[in-house]
Amino acid sequence: MKLTLTKDLTAPKAEAVAKINAAALRRRNAIVPPGAAYEQKKAEAVAVRSGDTAGLLILPAESALRGVSLADLAAAVLDKAAQAPVALAEIEIERQRKLAAIAAANSPAEIEAALSV
Amino acid sequence: MTTIAFHDGNGQITGTQSGLSARNLDEYRARGLVFAEVPPGTRIEDCAIFEGKMISRIYSSARLSKSEIAADGVDVAVIDRLPDPCTLEIDGVRLEITGGRLELTADMPATYHVLLDQLPFRQWRAEIVAK
């Protein structure tokens, strides 16, 4: 009897895609935490910068807890928010590059290699 | 405490259970469960059950001509001296093999795992790396 060995790459590819997506999500969440707090803090930081400190819910408490001034905390929040799009873009580009490599992979070794691209 | 092995109709061991007392065994027998007691130090994968007793499986004479081949669809590894017929598992996929011989080529670089697990033979495993 003769047999040509091959591998069904469907499952390994799906597993690799899941790993890539999970890693990208973890990195995104580190930059832009999920939930409303991030947007709320950004809005409050904008208000602080424009001199409107009425109705703040998070930043005054956080500045007291961390021992930093409200202005410095607002500046830090805005600085981080300004950097976020670039960092998020880098993460997404890397995710897309890896997904493309997975789609093109023709062997288990190529899938492994694609994960470390 | 005793370890017991359950088996299918061919004597192939399908599962084990450890830490059983004599009372447990009596209860199992009363419930009609069919099993064999496993002597201490027994390698389960080298055994089968015949007439309620653990017996040693014999060595297969299967052999692999080479464990590394080119993934070019041409280079051949041969497994021969297989029981005829037999069932081989290649990466978990069962294949019925007749003629006692299997010629393998590969068109995808990968490591392929072959398992012969057929009574009365001991398990025989091989690994073929296609590069």
Side-chain angles (χ1 to χ4, degrees):
Chain A
M1 267 181 82
K2 294 182 179 180
L3 180 71
T4 299
L5 297 168
T6 190
K7 297 269 187 184
D8 181 354
L9 297 181
T10 308
K13 282 190 175 191
E15 194 177 319
V17 167
K19 279 184 187 173
I20 289 165
N21 287 337
L25 184 61
R26 278 196 302 274
R27 293 179 64 196
R28 278 200 297 264
N29 287 347
I31 295 167
V32 183
Y38 175 79
E39 291 301 326
Q40 175 73 21
K41 283 173 70 173
K42 202 163 73 172
E44 291 190 12
V46 170
V48 169
R49 190 175 58 185
S50 61
D52 177 12
T53 57
L56 300 179
L57 299 173
I58 300 174
L59 294 192
E62 186 174 333
S63 69
L65 288 168
R66 293 174 55 182
V68 297
S69 72
L70 189 59
D72 285 349
L73 179 58
V77 169
L78 290 173
D79 188 41
K80 193 174 173 184
Q83 293 171 20
V86 174
L88 292 175
E90 287 172 356
I91 292 167
E92 180 58 13
I93 290 166
E94 181 180 324
R95 189 179 78 89
Q96 291 297 336
R97 183 166 51 237
K98 287 185 174 182
L99 291 179
I102 293 293
N106 286 316
S107 71
E110 287 181 18
I111 293 174
E112 283 300 312
L115 284 170
S116 57
V117 165
Chain B
M1 290 296 169
T2 303
T3 297
I4 61 172
F6 299 98
H7 58 92
D8 63 17
N10 297 320
Q12 182 86 276
I13 294 170
T14 55
T16 61
Q17 190 172 1
S18 302
L20 298 169
S21 65
R23 185 178 170 181
N24 294 141
L25 300 186
D26 288 342
E27 287 170 357
Y28 281 11
R29 289 188 184 101
R31 285 162 50 192
L33 295 181
V34 178
F35 57 86
E37 295 187 27
V38 179
T42 301
R43 280 171 49 90
I44 293 291
E45 61 269 33
D46 293 341
C47 294
I49 296 175
F50 180 69
E51 294 183 346
K53 302 285 185 195
M54 302 284 291
I55 59 166
S56 264
R57 295 162 68 164
I58 60 175
Y59 287 97
S60 157
S61 59
R63 64 181 182 181
L64 174 66
S65 64
K66 56 182 177 180
S67 59
E68 194 172 307
I69 56 175
D72 59 3
V74 176
D75 198 10
V76 179
V78 178
I79 299 174
D80 64 0
R81 298 185 180 179
L82 288 165
D84 185 15
C86 71
T87 302
L88 278 186
E89 277 186 32
I90 299 181
D91 288 343
V93 177
R94 294 168 67 85
L95 296 165
E96 301 301 320
I97 308 297
T98 55
R101 174 185 168 92
L102 179 62
E103 294 183 10
L104 297 164
T105 56
D107 56 13
M108 182 186 292
T111 300
Y112 300 90
H113 301 278
V114 181
L115 168 66
L116 170 67
D117 186 10
Q118 179 167 311
L119 296 178
F121 303 103
R122 293 191 179 200
Q123 288 186 351
W124 179 84
R125 294 173 188 274
E127 195 175 271
I128 300 165
V129 179
K131 292 185 173 176

